[in-house]
Amino acid sequence: MADNLLFLCKAGDLAPNSVRKVERPEGALAVYNLDGVFYATDDRCTHGLASLSEGEIIDGEIECNMHFGSFDIATGQPRQSPCSVPVKTYRIELRGDDVFAVLD
Ligand code: FES
């Protein structure tokens, strides 16, 4: 197993259009299932001390539950103020039913 892969979840364990937090010492990630396609971003909102995985998925965006700014889940680009700094995204690698994030 390449050591730049972080196991996120089993594909079947994350329902479509839901998000889950994955802890790691360097900072948690959020893993998303958008209609069967997986994405990952940093979990921490770039605007403040909020966890994006506690937000709501709306039309491919994650809405932060702190001040209701949002990001495009696929690109990490801010979509709604007060968010203005992109959130880091991670490439996903699927191995069978296992979903991994590729860490740079
Ligand atoms: S902390 Fe996320 S919008 Fe402010």
Side-chain angles (χ1 to χ4, degrees):
M1 179 71 57
D3 50 356
N4 68 334
L5 293 183
L6 175 71
F7 175 75
L8 298 174
C9 64
K10 292 280 190 187
D13 289 346
L14 187 61
N17 300 309
S18 63
V19 55
R20 176 187 298 173
K21 184 176 188 175
V22 177
E23 298 282 1
R24 68 175 182 134
E26 302 83 354
L29 270 63
V31 54
Y32 309 82
N33 176 345
L34 296 187
D35 293 322
V37 181
F38 290 85
Y39 298 91
T41 69
D42 278 341
D43 184 58
R44 183 169 158 183
C45 182
T46 60
H47 180 251
L49 294 175
S51 173
L52 291 177
S53 57
E54 294 174 13
E56 188 175 353
I57 295 173
I58 304 169
D59 293 335
E61 299 179 6
I62 183 71
E63 182 185 75
C64 179
N65 69 355
M66 183 76 82
H67 307 108
F68 307 106
S70 69
F71 301 90
D72 183 291
I73 291 169
T75 67
Q77 291 300 310
R79 287 288 180 244
Q80 180 70 43
S81 80
C83 299
S84 60
V85 176
V87 67
K88 181 174 171 53
T89 59
Y90 297 85
R91 195 162 58 80
I92 293 291
E93 189 163 313
L94 279 171
R95 294 191 175 185
D97 192 42
D98 293 339
V99 182
F100 295 90
V102 180
L103 306 175
D104 326 294

